Amino acid sequence: MGKNRLSTRLKALSLPLLGIAALGLTSCAQDGYDDDERWQSTVTNTQLASPSADDISITANADGSKTIISWPVVKGARGYHCVFTDVTDGTKVLKDSLIDGCTLTVDREEDSKYNFTITTLADTVVGNKDALTATSKDFTTLVATYATIPNGTDLAEYFNTTNPIPEGLTEDELCFDLEPGGNYTMSDIVDFGLHKVTLRSTVPSKQANVVFGENAKIKTCAQLSLKNIYFDMTNDANKFLQLSVHKDANEKGKVVLDDPILISGCYINDLKSTLFYDDNVAFAVKNFILKNTVVHFNTPTNTKTTMLHMKSTGSFIHITTIDKCTIWDENVNNSGFFMQYNGGRSNDVGWAKSDAAINISNSTFFNVVKKGKLGNYNQMNSLYTYTVRECIFVDCSSGHSAKQLMHNKSNLGTRAKYYNNTYWFDGADENAASDKADQSGTQVKGDPGFADPANGDFTVSGANQLDKKIGDPRWLK
C-alpha cells in the first residue's frame, strides 16, 4: 500500500480513533504491560514506527480454520490500522480495521495467498506521531510446490515414465503444479500408490485443462487432492478416480485411508461412469470431500450407474462432504444410486461412530439418478447423521430426494438435520414432510427456474430460492 494512499485513509479515520485512544491498548496488557504502563506511556513527543515484518507472528489455530496475526506492543501508540487482503487471484480486501490490541484473527482458507499491512497510530495527546509507513507481510496457506509440470505434458507419460515419484516419499504431501490455464492430456492410468499427492492449478480462476484419453484413470491408495482443474472426459468411458491396493488390510479386512480424498475447484465434464470407486477390496475411507466443483455426468441411456460406489463387501466412507457443488446427469433413465457403500462400520477401524456423517450444503442437483435412489449404505445407514442444508434437488431420486438420501429411511429424529432445501420433481414440489424425511418445516417450495439445465446452466430465477440464497452459489446472480 502506497504511503500517500495510506496517509489519506488514516486522516479519514482519525475521528473514530479518538474513542480508541480513551480505551488504551487494553488487549496488550496480557503481553507483559501493567496497568500503569498501559494508561501512562513513558514515550512522548516521538515519531513512532510500525512493527517490523520479522516481529509479526502468523499462525493457524488448532483446527486450521483461523489465522492468528499478532505483533509486539509499540510504546506510545493508541492503536493500529490493519488491512488484510486476499491476493490469490487478484486483490480482495477481507478486513480493514482499527485495532486497539495486538492481535487480529481472520478466517483461513486453504490454497490462498494473503497480504497483511499494519500502521502504528500514535497517542497524539502526549505529542507522538503516527508511523510514516505501513509494514507489509505476505504469507500463504499453499503447500510448497514439489514440482511444476510444463504446459502440454501427457501426465501419464510424466508420472509413469519420465518423472516417476521416487520410492519412499510417502510421508510428505507432494504438490505438483499445473500451469494456470495450461493444457494437458492423460493417455493412460496414473496410479499414485502410497504417495500423498496434490495436483493443482495455483490460480482458482484459471483451471488447468486435462483431456483424458480412452484408457485414462487416476488411482491412489493415499491422500489425494485435485484442485482447480477442468477434466475433459469426452473420450473416456472409464471411472474417474479409483482406489488401488498398495498396503495390507487390517484385522477386520479393511484397507484404511485415514487421510482425505479431496476434489476442489474442479469441473469434471462428460463423465460416463463412476466418479469414485474402490478396487474390489474392502476400503475404509475416512473423508471424501467434493467442494466447489461441477460434475457433469453423461451416463449411458437405460443403464444403472452408481456415481460414488464403494462396491466391495465391507467398503465404506466414514464422512462424505459435498459443499458448493453442482452435480447433474444427461440421462433421464438412470436407475442406479448416487452414493452406494457396501457395508462395513466405523468401529471396524477405530473411528468414532458418532462422527459418521453425510454432509451436503449449498449444492445443486439436477436429474441425478432420476429413476433411482440417492443413497444406499448398508451397515453405515444406521450410524450416519444426515446434514443437508441450502440445497436444490430437481428431478432426482424418483421424487423422494430427502428420504432416499437417507437410505429410504424416515423418522430419524436428530440424525436428520435438514434446513432450507428445495425438492422439485416433474414440475411439482416433492412432499418431503409426508415422506417423514425432511420434517424441519423449512422446505423452500416452488420451481427454482433453472435457466437452461439441459445445457448445464443452472442460474436460478425462482424468487423463493433467491431469497434464501440456496443451491450452488455460482448460479445465484
Side-chain angles (χ1 to χ4, degrees), residues 277-295:
Y277 190 78
D278 63 18
D279 190 20
N280 297 316
V281 172
F283 275 86
V285 177
K286 192 168 189 179
N287 285 282
F288 176 81
I289 304 165
L290 192 66
K291 181 178 178 182
N292 191 29
T293 288
V294 175
V295 184

Side-chain angles (χ1 to χ4, degrees), residues 30 44 47 81-82 101 122 131 134 147 150 163 224 229 270 277 300 304 307 313 343 346 361 371 416 448 453 455 463:
Q30 298 178 2
T44 60
Q47 173 68 67
H81 177 212
C82 298
N163 296 89
L224 177 66
I229 302 172
D270 208 20
Y277 190 78
K304 184 176 181 178
M307 299 176 174
T313 301
S346 297
S361 56
K371 295 186 177 180
N455 291 298

Side-chain angles (χ1 to χ4, degrees), residues 197-218:
V197 170
T198 291
L199 188 66
R200 69 187 181 191
S201 163
T202 56
V203 180
S205 67
K206 296 181 179 179
Q207 294 176 328
N209 301 286
V210 178
V211 178
F212 274 39
E214 61 180 352
N215 297 315
K217 185 191 304 182
I218 298 173

Side-chain angles (χ1 to χ4, degrees), residues 207-360:
Q207 294 176 328
N209 301 286
V210 178
V211 178
F212 274 39
E214 61 180 352
N215 297 315
K217 185 191 304 182
I218 298 173
K219 301 180 72 172
T220 187
C221 192
Q223 174 181 328
L224 177 66
S225 297
L226 304 173
K227 300 178 179 179
N228 307 324
I229 302 172
Y230 184 99
F231 292 99
D232 185 346
M233 310 293 294
T234 304
N235 301 317
D236 192 326
N238 285 319
K239 300 168 179 66
F240 175 69
L241 175 58
Q242 185 170 356
L243 295 169
S244 56
V245 181
H246 290 273
K247 60 181 178 180
D248 295 333
N250 69 358
E251 63 277 6
K252 296 287 187 177
K254 306 287 191 296
V255 177
V256 180
L257 271 66
D258 284 299
D259 293 322
I261 303 291
L262 169 68
I263 303 173
S264 178
C266 293
Y267 196 117
I268 302 171
N269 187 51
D270 208 20
L271 179 58
K272 301 171 185 64
S273 187
T274 303
L275 176 69
F276 182 53
Y277 190 78
D278 63 18
D279 190 20
N280 297 316
V281 172
F283 275 86
V285 177
K286 192 168 189 179
N287 285 282
F288 176 81
I289 304 165
L290 192 66
K291 181 178 178 182
N292 191 29
T293 288
V294 175
V295 184
H296 164 212
F297 284 95
N298 187 10
T299 59
T301 303
N302 297 320
T303 63
K304 184 176 181 178
T305 302
T306 298
M307 299 176 174
L308 292 174
H309 201 183
M310 303 296 285
K311 180 180 180 181
S312 302
T313 301
S315 279
F316 70 96
I317 298 174
H318 181 58
I319 301 173
T320 301
T321 300
I322 299 173
D323 179 49
K324 298 180 182 67
C325 291
T326 295
I327 301 171
W328 66 292
D329 190 3
E330 292 187 32
N331 179 10
V332 299
N333 294 306
N334 189 346
S335 59
F337 295 98
F338 174 51
M339 297 183 286
Q340 185 176 32
Y341 307 156
N342 196 24
R345 296 170 67 88
S346 297
N347 51 312
D348 287 344
V349 293
W351 297 333
K353 293 187 291 184
S354 59
D355 293 339
I358 304 288
N359 300 318
I360 306 177

